[in-house]
Amino acid sequence: MNRAAPAPLAFRLNGAPVAAEPRAGERLSETLRSRLGALEVKVGCDAGDCGACTVLIDGAPVCACLTPARRAEGRSVETVAALRESAEGRALAAAFEARGAAQCGICTPGMMVSAAALLRVEGPKGEAEIERALAGVLCRCTGYRKIVAAVADAAAGRIAPAPVEGGVGAGVIRRDGAEKVAGLTRFGDDLAPPGALVLRIIRSPHPRAAFAFGDLEAWAAARPWVACVLSAADVPGENRFGVIPAFADQPVFAVSEARFRGEAVAAVAGEAEAMARFDPEDFPVSWAPLPAVESPAAARAPGAAALHEGRPGNQMCRGFVARGDAEAALARAAHVVEGRLETSFVEHAYIEPEAGFAEMKEERLEVSACTQAPGMDREALALILGWPESRIRIRPTAVGGGFGAKLDLSVQPYLALAAIRTGRPVRIVWSRSESMRASTKRHPAAMRVRIGADADGRLCGLAFEGEFDTGAYASWGPTVANRVPVHASGPYLVRDYRAEAQAIHSNNPPSGAFRGFGVPQAAAAAEPLMDELALRLGLDPLEFRLLNALRDGEPTVTGQVFAHGVGIAACLEALRAPWKARRAAAEAFNAEAKGPLRRGVGLAVGWYGCGNTSLPNPSTIRAGVTPEGRIVLHQGAMDIGQGADTVIPQIFAEALGAPLSAIEIVGADTDLTPDAGKTSASRQTFVTGNAARLAGLALRARLLALVNAGEGARIGSGPEGLTVTEAGVKHRPSLSALPPDDLGYAIRVEETYDPPTKPLDASGQGEPYAQFGYAAHIAEVEVDLALGTVRPLGFVAAHDVGRAINPLLIEGQVEGGIAQGLGMALMEEYIPGRTENLHDYLIPTIGDMPPVETVIVEAGDMHGPFGAKGLGEHALIPTAPAILNAIAHATGVRPSKLPATPARLFAALRKDGA
């Protein structure tokens, strides 16, 4: 008996009638995106955990990824697109922009529609109500506080005009903010053309296993919808990649043995409808699990299998810094404290999973994907394909959060191979569990620290040993191993010092870059011991740190001396008043406490060297003026939410002497923009910002010379063309008479900046960074002694940024960094095979994040553009140790493993009899 075809699904989408024919059981999110083109609906998890896909059905917020499409029959569905024309939508958009409440923008559509639902109903709209309304939507960038403030502003109708103009020092709104709040920004899964093939990767279900394929050709031939099957045999160039050439060791496809759960062994490209039903279990591969080493201790044990040739004991590399004689100094110290701390794998948990598409354009390959490093992507693909780089174009999409993991190759090689093989556009988006299995993590660490001080409280010796689980492949492990010993001292004057860090291979996921490159782990180990020393000496923790703070003209542990710009003492001074007030308030609360709640206030400091460690680190910026007088900036620094697309133009505009609104931007594209280097290591404001400053000055000199104007002139561009105004007189340079160059510019400049550094010698002495940024955080917490739970109550964060290019974006970076530090300290623990979704892996929600007071300190740097320093990593580094010190202040207990979960803290409290 023939069944009748299901009737088309009909409903109203953003006020207009629509119809679609979804598959049986299809989710509303897929119907909206794939069949109706509503790409403003974002999918981050497909499990209802992240809330990015939130839409309104008859005015009520729902997760579209959990809602069967058929449930929309005859109803009204609204996405963020509907808000563009509504009063509450316009108010929210203006407030989100003014507050800087959208950073990467991937969660913003879900936040906006959830907020709109709140604004439409009667009742109070205070902070508690806002947090409840938005509780189902996760954000990994902002720290939530600016989102709460924006919704409160919209509800109260108190939206201040958002500044859109200004150079260095102006808190202008993001240049890409309007697109983000409107849901128009296109991310990795939003740009593939209709009819593109869909690619799926076959991955190892075991941490270590031998494998063998069946008859792949016969399997594919029996499935007409399969366009190609790929394995290691289909890699024409080098079947390996890595971010550091000397350590490149990760295969595109494993050969005969998989080294971690989630490793790619093959890929299948096919027609979209069929691939939606594809089950990887159907793929002809057999597995033979092998003994795995799943910790550094197991990897170093006698008889442990070696993961890589030439790395005995599974040691990938070692970092080392020594100055003076640490052991002798500790021996003569009046007071010595010692501590051990273990940290766990931490997942980046960006809301946008890895995604992109690739296609051949005549004889050239074009790859569009979410990436932090388009230049590195092109270099790596050239080696994998055996092609010259000139045949490869990387066109990055917007990036829905990166934090380091999107520096490594992810989808790019698989897309490239499939597009070349089939000659058709190919798309891919990793599932949330796939992303969490296959992406890099923050290194777990086991650290031992010993610190000594003399009777007067001066530090007189510090020894650090750290073992870091770098997983199956190198990724950024060498950077972590070398950066940690430079930073493990903290921003203190330590004349006798020894630090060693080892990166050890295991059959765990590769550990890579994650906001700090190992420095947050080292700070979490050392800073609690600074509190212990202060306690033994009878000194206030802030005063003890001030006594030992590094100052201008004093050597770091690598022997580097900065004549000025060492801002840690200024950060501590800025916290003196809130420190005393909050500490006293906590102690007064505890003195009156009758129940199990106790409060604590902790302090910690941090520093971070901006850019690569003792390595070349150049960025290049191009700018030009068209014959019609348009000023164009080719800005290749990836904006992953931190604000490069706003800050770099601000620096350029300041140097050029032109209004920000006069600058047109050509964004990152390896065909159109010079390589501005990777977005990592807090380098873009500093390094690319300097290149932009140099380009602005060079272009300004050329333009002023055309009209013989002096240094006081201002440059403008508008409908009347280019103008140079001096002393009230407006000149219009004759540009049309200049022959345009190959890019169509009448005048063009290109400038490169590479920070001055010097290599480290065998003892780790040298000048690894041209600048450091400094930070000090206060954390206030409430601990339930009966449950072991910790509730953060507030933070005060002082950051030395050298020169605040954009104070609004600085606040956003600080709040977002603190949220990630809070997660590292209290809840985030990735366990392979167990926490591979955003339900079992916990990140801070809107209800976990308390108020943050940001204090901007400006100890100008001699190398930074207009004195500016990087910030991205610094915002996270002091947070976890400040929380640990606050827990100790409240309870007298110092956790020895992060995260300090309720179970761990409860056990420690019982052990100490608290």
Side-chain angles (χ1 to χ4, degrees):
M1 183 176 183
N2 293 329
R3 293 184 179 179
L9 169 66
F11 59 96
R12 296 186 70 81
L13 176 60
N14 297 329
V18 295
E21 296 184 7
R23 296 185 312 278
E26 184 170 288
R27 305 163 190 252
L28 180 59
S29 54
E30 183 177 354
T31 301
L32 292 172
R33 287 179 54 83
S34 299
R35 303 187 191 281
L36 299 172
L39 296 175
E40 67 273 15
V41 178
K42 305 305 179 187
V43 178
C45 67
D46 254 349
D49 293 323
C50 76
C53 66
T54 302
V55 299
L56 304 181
I57 296 184
D58 293 340
V62 301
C63 282
C65 76
L66 289 184
T67 304
R70 288 285 170 186
R71 196 168 291 174
E73 179 68 48
R75 304 174 77 178
S76 171
V77 177
E78 293 176 272
T79 72
V80 71
L83 303 184
R84 299 169 196 160
E85 304 303 324
S86 70
E88 68 273 10
R90 286 193 294 269
L92 284 168
F96 267 58
E97 284 200 75
R99 286 284 188 173
Q103 288 190 20
C104 82
I106 192 73
C107 74
T108 304
M111 290 287 186
M112 291 278 287
V113 296
S114 298
L118 173 68
L119 296 191
R120 290 176 181 177
V121 300
E122 296 294 329
K125 298 176 178 62
E127 186 168 307
E129 289 77 22
I130 292 169
E131 289 185 0
R132 279 197 294 272
L134 273 59
V137 187
L138 295 177
C139 175
R140 193 58 159 165
C141 295
T142 65
Y144 300 103
R145 300 310 305 175
K146 291 194 176 299
I147 295 172
V148 173
V151 177
D153 287 349
R158 57 167 181 258
I159 303 162
V164 297
E165 193 63 80
V168 168
V172 301
I173 61 173
R174 294 174 181 272
R175 290 176 65 100
D176 54 3
E179 283 192 354
K180 288 178 175 176
V181 299
L184 296 172
T185 301
R186 293 296 175 248
F187 295 90
D189 194 35
D190 296 338
L191 293 174
L197 296 170
V198 169
L199 186 66
R200 293 283 299 278
I201 298 174
I202 309 300
R203 299 186 180 278
S204 171
H206 307 287
R208 183 181 176 220
F211 65 91
F213 296 127
D215 190 334
L216 298 183
E217 289 188 8
W219 182 85
R223 293 158 179 79
W225 45 269
V226 172
C228 74
V229 176
L230 300 169
S231 67
D234 299 293
V235 178
E238 297 185 17
N239 184 28
R240 66 184 179 95
F241 63 90
V243 291
I244 301 172
F247 290 89
D249 57 6
Q250 185 165 353
V252 177
F253 294 111
V255 179
S256 73
E257 181 182 317
R259 292 185 175 95
F260 72 95
R261 174 179 162 81
E263 179 156 20
V265 301
V268 179
E271 302 297 338
E273 286 293 323
M275 291 300 291
R277 298 187 292 271
F278 172 64
D279 182 357
E281 293 293 322
D282 181 46
F283 189 78
V285 58
S286 59
W287 302 96
L290 297 170
V293 292
E294 299 182 73
S295 70
R300 290 187 290 99
L307 273 78
H308 299 276
E309 291 184 10
R311 298 177 186 175
N314 284 310
Q315 184 188 77
M316 184 190 64
C317 67
R318 166 182 175 268
F320 180 73
V321 171
R323 184 168 180 82
D325 189 334
E327 294 300 330
L330 290 168
R332 66 174 179 266
H335 302 278
V336 176
V337 294
E338 178 176 339
R340 297 175 185 267
L341 181 72
E342 293 183 26
T343 67
S344 304
F345 282 113
V346 182
E347 163 68 23
H348 295 75
Y350 27 71
I351 305 304
E352 179 204 23
E354 293 79 353
F357 87 98
E359 62 184 334
M360 291 297 296
K361 291 287 188 71
E362 296 180 349
E363 295 301 312
R364 299 185 76 220
L365 171 72
E366 294 191 0
V367 179
S368 294
C370 49
T371 178
Q372 294 178 234
M376 289 172 57
D377 288 357
R378 183 172 64 171
E379 293 170 3
L381 286 182
L383 293 173
I384 291 167
L385 300 176
W387 286 11
E389 290 184 28
S390 59
R391 288 190 63 191
I392 301 168
R393 180 182 189 181
I394 306 296
R395 302 178 67 183
T397 66
V399 180
F403 317 117
K406 289 178 182 174
L407 289 165
D408 296 72
L409 287 183
S410 58
V411 299
Q412 297 90 330
Y414 309 104
L415 289 169
L417 292 168
I420 293 167
R421 175 82 168 270
T422 64
R424 291 176 58 182
V426 183
R427 69 187 299 170
I428 192 172
V429 56
W430 288 1
S431 69
R432 174 54 58 182
S433 62
E434 182 179 21
S435 173
M436 295 182 76
R437 276 183 285 138
S439 64
T440 60
K441 308 287 175 273
R442 185 183 293 286
H443 285 73
M447 298 164 288
R448 178 192 180 209
V449 186
R450 292 172 294 147
I451 310 175
D454 63 21
D456 295 326
R458 299 276 184 182
L459 292 175
C460 62
L462 192 155
F464 174 94
E465 303 164 48
E467 193 171 70
F468 292 77
D469 185 348
T470 202
Y473 298 107
S475 183
W476 291 94
T479 301
V480 169
N482 284 284
R483 186 177 280 269
V484 165
V486 174
H487 288 80
S489 65
Y492 301 106
L493 177 61
V494 183
R495 299 190 184 277
D496 294 282
Y497 176 77
R498 188 185 190 280
E500 180 177 3
Q502 298 183 69
I504 306 297
H505 281 300
S506 70
N507 290 116
N508 285 319
S511 298
F514 189 169
R515 206 169 193 171
F517 287 98
V519 180
Q521 295 96 304
E527 279 295 295
L529 297 181
M530 295 297 179
D531 265 27
E532 279 200 35
L533 269 178
L535 184 65
R536 290 197 187 185
L537 288 156
L539 295 175
D540 175 85
L542 186 145
E543 300 302 333
F544 173 73
R545 286 173 170 84
L546 263 175
L547 177 67
N548 290 286
L550 198 65
R551 312 276 175 161
D552 291 347
E554 294 178 339
T556 70
V557 291
T558 70
Q560 188 170 9
V561 176
F562 292 92
H564 56 82
V566 180
I568 187 58
C571 289
L572 286 165
E573 292 286 2
L575 294 185
R576 191 191 293 273
W579 167 252
K580 289 183 177 179
R582 295 192 183 213
R583 189 90 161 180
E587 290 169 357
F589 177 91
N590 294 339
E592 299 294 325
K594 304 299 184 184
L597 299 183
R598 298 292 184 273
R599 290 187 177 177
V601 176
L603 173 74
V605 302
W607 65 335
Y608 191 81
C610 301
N612 293 348
T613 307
S614 296
L615 292 171
N617 194 19
S619 279
T620 300
I621 285 286
R622 177 188 301 145
V625 179
T626 68
E628 301 79 32
R630 294 165 32 238
I631 304 170
V632 183
L633 176 66
H634 292 248
Q635 201 290 94
M638 286 303 301
D639 191 325
I640 61 173
Q642 88 282 21
D645 281 341
T646 303
V647 168
I648 303 303
Q650 281 185 268
I651 293 170
F652 174 77
E654 182 81 13
L656 180 62
L660 185 61
S661 58
I663 312 300
E664 298 179 24
I665 304 295
V666 173
D669 180 326
T670 57
D671 270 15
L672 302 178
T673 52
D675 189 0
K678 58 191 180 294
T679 293
S680 72
S682 302
R683 64 177 296 281
Q684 291 295 16
T685 295
F686 169 38
V687 184
T688 302
N690 256 326
R693 180 184 64 85
L694 294 172
L697 292 173
L699 186 58
R700 176 178 177 81
R702 296 275 297 277
L703 293 175
L704 296 188
L706 286 177
V707 295
N708 199 28
E711 278 304 309
R714 294 289 297 172
I715 293 168
S717 178
E720 59 186 339
L722 188 81
T723 59
V724 178
T725 303
E726 183 180 26
V729 178
K730 185 176 290 187
H731 305 277
R732 292 182 176 82
S734 178
L735 299 171
S736 58
L738 300 175
D741 65 10
D742 59 327
L743 296 180
Y745 292 118
I747 300 175
R748 187 173 89 190
V749 298
E750 194 164 299
E751 295 290 336
T752 298
Y753 179 77
D754 192 3
T757 62
K758 293 181 181 179
L760 299 179
D761 65 17
S763 295
Q765 298 300 292
E767 298 181 5
Y769 311 106
Q771 66 167 219
F772 283 82
Y774 304 87
H777 289 185
I778 295 171
E780 182 178 4
V781 305
E782 187 172 79
V783 181
D784 189 319
L785 301 179
L787 300 175
T789 55
V790 179
R791 182 167 71 95
L793 301 176
F795 293 92
V796 186
H799 279 266
D800 166 29
V801 298
R803 175 78 183 278
I805 303 296
N806 188 315
L808 178 66
L809 301 190
I810 287 171
E811 291 174 359
Q813 282 291 286
V814 170
E815 291 170 13
I818 286 175
Q820 290 186 345
L822 184 160
M824 175 185 169
L826 298 178
M827 65 186 70
E828 296 192 42
E829 183 171 19
Y830 177 83
I831 303 172
R834 289 178 53 190
T835 57
E836 295 175 350
N837 55 64
L838 292 176
H839 178 76
D840 296 311
Y841 184 86
L842 303 179
I843 68 172
T845 69
I846 199 167
D848 295 314
M849 189 63 187
V852 176
E853 179 185 342
T854 300
V855 181
I856 296 175
V857 174
E858 296 181 296
D861 180 75
M862 66 181 292
H863 296 295
F866 302 103
K869 300 173 183 175
L871 175 65
E873 261 85 355
H874 312 72
L876 178 146
I877 291 166
T879 306
I883 291 172
L884 293 181
N885 285 335
I887 292 171
H889 181 228
T891 68
V893 170
R894 294 193 181 278
S896 60
K897 183 168 184 178
L898 295 185
T901 60
R904 287 184 181 130
L905 184 54
F906 182 83
L909 290 167
R910 297 287 77 78
K911 181 180 178 181
D912 282 27

